[in-house]
Amino acid sequence: MNPTELTHQLIPHENSAVVSTATRYAPANIALCKYWGKRDQTLKLPQTGSLSISLGRHGTHCTIAPAEADSLVINDKHICPTDKVFRRFFAFLDCMRPPQTRLYVQTVNTIPMAAGLASSASAFAAATLTMNDLFGWNADLKTLSILARMGSGSASRSVYEGFVEWLPGERADGLDSYAVPLAPAWPELRIGILTVSDQPKPIGSTEAMHRTVDTAALYSSWPLQVKRDLAALKEAIVEHDMDTLGRHAEHNAMAMHATMTATWPPVIYWLPETVEALHQIHALRESGTQVYATMDAGPNVKLLFPVSEESAVRKAFPSLSIVEP
Ligand code: PMV
């Protein structure tokens, strides 16, 4: 099954009742237990489950309206139709829009932006929610999570706020692979974003994942890591247990990066400043500060800590951008 067939099964076009314009918002999310590796490239089905926390007011506002021709404006900048961002975005919309429909799409990101930090998750989730309103599908969030997933895997989680789990599913058609909300974020939890580089990353996450699954023998241990971390994280979320949450999130990120390092050719996103920041975080922790690290497919580091540690963490990392999830 391809994404268009799947979408038509979920959203019958006969039901479309287009309105003049629609606008929706979706938050970005940071995975505490990562999605790393696909079992189906086309439908973006994951090898394992994953779990994230949404980033509150840091995300994407999306507006879509019917138009004479397709156009895409990101943060006030017109994107050229030959640009790969444009082609990826409209390939995604093509799967779900009625044929012959042309669309004007405007997205505004409120993520502290630096290349490699902004995730596509909030953009594809916001676009999916907006399409639902524009065409009056009245689809439920489970369906919208499945649709967003076909834009980028992590977008499946961005249709919800708070802690979210993406169930991997087993079916070949991916109808059982969608996100579910777990709990609202804790008011005390803070996420610090440490930008060590704003340069485009050398290799995209899709290619890096693919290479990992194909060439890293170490990847065979990844499902076991996920199983342990998912169980512990879910308990920590219920108990508001910062140490367990931080420990498993950091361990999970380190294990993900270990599988990438073990691919051929190796994928090394870390820069010297990444390693320096990790050492600094470990030293802070040794001295009694509750602070943990996580990283996605890039060199930047995200710090997890309770609000009570905010001044100690800020003192150590003055350039940190702190997010209240
Ligand atoms: O959804 P993608 O294709 O951008 O992949 C996201 C991969 C990670 O950010 C590294 C992990 C995750 O679960 O978000």
Side-chain angles (χ1 to χ4, degrees), residues 29 31 33-36 38 50 120 152-155 157 205-206 209 256 296-297:
N29 73 74
C33 179
K34 311 290 184 188
Y35 145 56
W36 195 246
K38 296 179 178 67
S50 60
S120 49
S152 89
S154 52
R157 300 186 306 240
S205 59
T206 303
M209 262 185 222
M256 176 183 76
D296 287 322

Side-chain angles (χ1 to χ4, degrees), residues 291-302:
V291 58
Y292 296 87
T294 182
M295 284 150 294
D296 287 322
N300 299 309
V301 182
K302 287 96 177 185

Side-chain angles (χ1 to χ4, degrees), residues 298-316:
N300 299 309
V301 182
K302 287 96 177 185
L303 283 67
L304 304 163
F305 55 93
V307 65
S308 54
E309 304 284 24
E310 187 163 331
S311 60
V313 173
R314 195 179 274 294
K315 203 166 145 215

Side-chain angles (χ1 to χ4, degrees), residues 225-278:
Q225 180 80 37
V226 168
K227 193 172 168 208
R228 280 192 211 150
D229 293 333
L230 264 182
L233 286 164
K234 280 158 81 170
E235 211 172 297
I237 289 165
V238 174
E239 308 280 330
H240 284 205
D241 177 348
M242 183 67 219
D243 279 324
T244 302
L245 182 110
R247 190 153 53 84
H248 282 272
E250 184 169 319
H251 195 177
N252 189 269
M254 299 302 286
M256 176 183 76
H257 281 269
T259 68
M260 293 181 213
T261 312
T263 64
W264 193 259
V267 178
I268 306 174
Y269 284 116
W270 295 6
L271 294 173
E273 295 83 355
T274 313
V275 179
E276 201 183 311
L278 289 173

